[in-house]
């Protein structure tokens, strides 16, 4: 395990694990940002609506990978989801995440 993996975890392996368990990708950018380009099959739930959609998200009963433009909003979304009992991880920027999928 390299220093980077030790400090930040191996995101690619975690993404593979989540994918193998049917993870849902939630893009937390605005509707306009999402419509300008997104990961096929992802769901658009803007960050400010995550809390109000928690019941729906929990019903999926799947791990969630969050993404946004750079990884800042998706980090916040993943924290909110985890604090509500949803298995979630920050996938970072949507374009970078799409390359890892």
């Amino acid at each position: 395990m390299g220093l980077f993996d030790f400090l930040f975890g191996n995101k690619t392996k975690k993404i593979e694990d989540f994918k193998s368990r049917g993870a849902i990708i939630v893009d937390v950018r605005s509707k306009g940002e999402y419509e300008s380009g997104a990961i096929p099959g992802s769901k658009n739930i803007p960050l400010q609506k995550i809390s109000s959609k928690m019941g729906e998200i929990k019903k999926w009963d799947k791990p969630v990978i969050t993404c946004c433009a750079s990884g800042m909003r998706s980090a916040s979304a993943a924290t909110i989801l985890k604090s509500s009992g949803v298995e979630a991880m920050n996938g970072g920027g949507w374009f970078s995440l799409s390359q890892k999928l």
Side-chain angles (χ1 to χ4, degrees), residues 24-29 34 37-45 60 65 67 94 97 101:
I24 307 286
I25 298 167
V26 174
D27 191 317
V28 298
R29 296 176 296 154
Y34 183 79
I39 296 172
S42 63
K43 297 185 182 292
N44 179 221
I45 303 175
W60 298 340
I65 302 172
C67 66
W94 76 271
L97 176 59
L101 298 172

Side-chain angles (χ1 to χ4, degrees), residues 2 9 13 16 19-20 35 40 48 51 55-57 68 71 81 85:
K13 284 185 181 171
E16 289 299 321
K19 270 181 40 182
S20 73
E35 288 173 350
Q48 61 271 26
S51 293
E56 175 186 333
I57 294 167
C68 63
L81 291 166

Side-chain angles (χ1 to χ4, degrees), residues 29-70:
R29 296 176 296 154
S30 70
K31 186 174 191 262
E33 287 176 292
Y34 183 79
E35 288 173 350
S36 70
I39 296 172
S42 63
K43 297 185 182 292
N44 179 221
I45 303 175
L47 177 58
Q48 61 271 26
K49 294 185 179 179
I50 285 288
S51 293
S52 66
K53 298 279 189 177
M54 195 61 67
E56 175 186 333
I57 294 167
K58 285 184 171 187
K59 284 180 189 170
W60 298 340
D61 198 27
K62 300 266 186 203
V64 173
I65 302 172
T66 59
C67 66
C68 63
S70 68

